[in-house]
Amino acid sequence: MKADAAALEIRRAIRQGVLTPGEELNQEQVAAKLGISRIPLREALQSLAAVGIVTASPGRGFAVTRLDADEVDELYGLRLLVEPPLAAPVVAAIRPAQIDRLHDFDQRIRLAASQEEWAQLNYLFHLELYKPSGQTHTLRFVRQLLDLVTPYSNIYVHGMGGQSRAEGEHSEMVAAIEAGDAGALEHQIHLHLRGAREAILRHMKMTTEADLVSRLVGLHPESRGNEPEEA
């Protein structure tokens, strides 16, 4: 496994809650889990540090980035600026096969057998939703934003009863695309992001940092180790 592939696996482990915000990464254990040497692993971690997904500390190595409420607020503000405007180019360019894929993701999310599977499918749904826009650089930025906020959106979805609402909003987005209604799609994306943002921030502002970390780990009790989940 090369550094790029290792970075993808670590991103996924963070999104799924296998690695939690603030967790220090034991490079020896992570390298063994991924089946690579320390050199490509360090390259992978440095690339993730460059985009803010992990944090490098002199003398302490790397840890999963932990965000405060203001940072989560800022990231959702960026999502609200970037994602809704993708509605028009998506509706203009989407093909029937891509709509079928969105329906498939919508159904698979509802049938997900675990929180980790739900988180991964939700991530892929959003990337698939925006892919028809053809806006490569915007999509790369959206992916980075999703990587950063997903550990916190998981609190909303699985710890605050937001799952059914999120799934319903996914279905409304797909319906808007099928109807060729870019305005309705943009509205649904706004609702989806605003609802998650408000709930997460309300929770974070009422919760101490220690309680927040406990909640993040509690969603995935098996994540207490330092190793990312395999593909």
Side-chain angles (χ1 to χ4, degrees), residues 82-99:
V82 172
E83 295 178 39
L86 291 172
V90 164
V91 169
I94 199 163
R95 300 188 300 273
Q98 292 172 309
I99 296 175

Side-chain angles (χ1 to χ4, degrees), residues 13 18-19 38 45 48 65 72 80 93 115 118 129 132 134 139 169 191-192 197 220-223 226-227:
V18 177
L19 296 171
R38 293 281 294 275
L45 292 171
L48 295 176
T65 298
V72 171
L80 282 162
Q115 294 173 2
W118 198 100
L129 177 70
L139 293 175
E169 289 165 349
L191 287 179
H192 190 63
R197 180 193 205 181
H220 308 276
E222 70 282 6
S223 71
N226 291 317
E227 304 172 52

Side-chain angles (χ1 to χ4, degrees), residues 203-222:
H203 174 79
M204 291 184 76
K205 288 173 181 178
M206 294 188 302
T207 306
T208 66
E209 181 174 298
D211 288 341
L212 177 60
V213 173
S214 177
R215 174 67 69 89
L216 286 164
V217 174
L219 288 175
H220 308 276
E222 70 282 6

Side-chain angles (χ1 to χ4, degrees), residues 67-122:
L67 305 175
D68 61 26
D70 288 340
E71 290 172 311
V72 171
D73 189 24
E74 178 185 357
L75 290 169
Y76 267 93
L78 289 170
R79 291 189 68 185
L80 282 162
L81 287 173
V82 172
E83 295 178 39
L86 291 172
V90 164
V91 169
I94 199 163
R95 300 188 300 273
Q98 292 172 309
I99 296 175
D100 289 343
R101 281 182 58 80
L102 287 172
H103 275 298
D104 181 57
F105 275 119
D106 187 25
Q107 291 303 311
R108 288 168 62 193
I109 287 170
R110 294 175 184 275
L111 298 173
S114 66
Q115 294 173 2
E116 292 81 2
E117 183 183 6
W118 198 100
Q120 180 67 6
L121 289 170
N122 179 63

Side-chain angles (χ1 to χ4, degrees), residues 42-60:
R42 189 165 186 84
E43 291 175 359
L45 292 171
Q46 288 171 338
S47 73
L48 295 176
V51 294
I53 294 170
V54 303
T55 303
S57 300
R60 293 176 61 88

